Amino acid sequence: MGIDNSLAQLSTARRLQTEHDQLFPLIQASAEETPFPDQSFDLAISEYGASIWCDPYRWIPEAARLLRPGGLLVFLVNGVLLMCCLPDEPDGKAGDRLLRPYFGMHRFEWSDDDSVEFHLGHGDMLRLLRHNGFAVEELIEIEVPEGSTTRYPWVSLEWSRQWPCEEVWKARRVAAGS
């Protein structure tokens, strides 16, 4: 099952499904409020979808509602340090200085773009996940391998070899009473 609130993304997904002969339902909806019944899934994955474009205080409770006990939530986000080191300027690149507070991270708005992103510090994310019945199994802070490249122009290879530019969270939905 694929969920996205963007018709353009869903159109691309349909084209790729046909191209790779991998057909499954695609639904237009926000991850903050889906049309599915409680405990519908065993696995939920977000790679820069809900995990940064939806408010975590809304999409994580929704993921908890959708996952069966024992279900796994996996999501990829920008690294917390990256978000603290990115300047709010067109074509800005992450530097080696903190430019915004770590505490109270939540809603990010950029002066050159009308989109909104959401990022939480590690403590806030851990509390939110636990409050919604998840046990964090792993936090992988991505180190870009030597000789590789980064996929974003605002993160240099040198920066990403020193600090994590991406994080993968794995959290398991705990059975009631556990």
Side-chain angles (χ1 to χ4, degrees):
M1 179 81 55
I3 302 168
D4 203 296
N5 63 356
S6 164
L7 286 175
Q9 289 285 59
L10 292 171
S11 176
T12 299
R14 284 184 186 91
R15 181 180 53 76
L16 291 170
Q17 282 183 318
T18 302
E19 183 179 320
H20 297 283
D21 196 29
Q22 297 290 319
L23 301 178
F24 50 86
L26 296 172
I27 307 296
Q28 184 180 14
S30 170
E32 295 177 353
E33 186 177 352
T34 68
F36 307 107
D38 295 358
Q39 299 184 11
S40 294
F41 301 98
D42 293 311
L43 174 65
I45 300 172
S46 174
E47 180 186 357
Y48 288 111
S51 58
I52 69 166
W53 300 112
C54 293
D55 188 331
Y57 293 104
R58 295 192 58 203
W59 81 262
I60 288 178
E62 182 67 357
R65 183 186 74 76
L66 292 174
L67 285 170
R68 295 180 186 99
L72 185 63
L73 174 64
V74 179
F75 57 98
L76 177 70
V77 293
N78 293 320
V80 170
L81 281 175
L82 173 63
M83 299 313 299
C84 289
C85 293
L86 274 177
D88 183 10
E89 58 190 47
D91 303 321
K93 294 187 185 310
D96 63 357
R97 301 285 185 266
L98 298 173
L99 301 176
R100 62 180 47 85
Y102 174 86
F103 295 116
M105 289 175 62
H106 179 229
R107 185 182 173 100
F108 282 67
E109 297 182 39
W110 304 99
S111 60
D112 65 330
D113 188 333
D114 62 356
S115 66
V116 175
E117 297 177 30
F118 295 92
H119 304 280
L120 298 180
H122 292 150
D124 290 337
M125 182 60 78
L126 286 167
R127 280 185 290 281
L128 178 59
L129 288 164
R130 288 188 54 80
H131 177 78
N132 284 281
F134 287 101
V136 174
E137 292 186 350
E138 192 170 15
L139 167 58
I140 303 167
E141 297 171 300
I142 305 297
E143 178 182 358
V144 176
E146 191 66 44
S148 187
T149 61
T150 62
R151 58 180 168 169
Y152 303 113
W154 56 85
V155 183
S156 70
L157 181 58
E158 179 184 359
W159 196 98
S160 66
R161 297 282 302 139
Q162 297 178 70
W163 301 290
C165 58
E166 296 178 297
E167 301 169 355
V168 179
W169 289 78
K170 296 179 182 179
R172 179 101 30 209
R173 183 76 166 96
V174 179
S178 295

